[in-house]
């Protein structure tokens, strides 16, 4: 199983980016999916998460600016980021609790990060 993230890049302050993360391989079922970020010198922090039923949770710093969504048929989670600010600059990581085909338990997976740089 792999989580493949895409959509990072360089954007000016006030701009927008959309991140995508697709789970591939022998995926049987996905519970929660989410995005974390880590800026230089900082710990990794939760940005947003979404359950299989569509319930969402956001960090206070991104509420009203970021929107998380998912396409269960495509095993994909998205993060629409609007009104980006320099403090949003970080490596963004996709995360998911999922069950592989033939497995009995859900396991937490991380994708490789995608860099988001916001210039002032």
């Amino acid at each position: 199983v792999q989580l493949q993230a895409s959509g990072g890049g360089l954007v000016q302050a006030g701009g927008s980016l959309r991140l995508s993360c697709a789970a591939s391989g022998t995926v049987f079922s996905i519970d929660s999916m989410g995005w974390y970020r880590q800026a230089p010198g900082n710990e990794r922090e939760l940005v947003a998460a979404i359950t299989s039923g569509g319930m969402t949770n956001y960090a206070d710093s991104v509420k009203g600016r970021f929107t998380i969504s998912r396409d269960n048929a495509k095993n994909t989670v998205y993060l629409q980021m609007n009104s980006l600010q320099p403090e949003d600059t970080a490596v963004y990581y996709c995360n998911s609790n999922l069950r592989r085909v033939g497995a009995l338990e859900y396991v937490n997976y991380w994708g490789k990060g995608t860099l988001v740089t916001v210039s002032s």
Side-chain angles (χ1 to χ4, degrees):
V1 171
Q2 287 187 329
L3 298 181
Q4 184 64 47
S6 61
L10 173 64
V11 65
Q12 289 188 334
S16 299
L17 282 174
R18 188 191 193 209
L19 305 182
S20 300
C21 176
S24 63
T26 56
V27 177
F28 177 75
S29 177
I30 299 178
D31 184 15
S32 63
M33 304 186 81
W35 292 93
Y36 288 71
R37 67 186 180 186
Q38 186 167 19
N42 290 357
E43 293 185 354
R44 191 172 297 188
E45 63 175 1
L46 173 69
V47 177
I50 185 168
T51 67
S52 58
M55 293 184 64
T56 58
N57 181 39
Y58 294 93
D60 288 342
S61 60
V62 307
K63 284 180 180 177
R65 300 188 298 124
F66 292 10
T67 302
I68 190 170
S69 61
R70 63 190 281 175
D71 185 332
N72 291 330
K74 296 181 179 179
N75 290 339
T76 300
V77 63
Y78 305 96
L79 186 68
Q80 178 66 42
M81 304 185 293
N82 297 329
S83 301
L84 282 161
Q85 300 301 318
E87 52 265 34
D88 295 315
T89 296
V91 177
Y92 285 69
Y93 296 91
C94 177
N95 177 271
S96 179
N97 280 323
L98 62 85
R99 187 154 64 105
R100 299 180 63 174
V101 173
L104 297 179
E105 297 179 347
Y106 283 86
V107 176
N108 192 253
Y109 286 84
W110 289 95
K112 293 182 180 179
T114 183
L115 177 62
V116 172
T117 303
V118 184
S119 63
S120 57

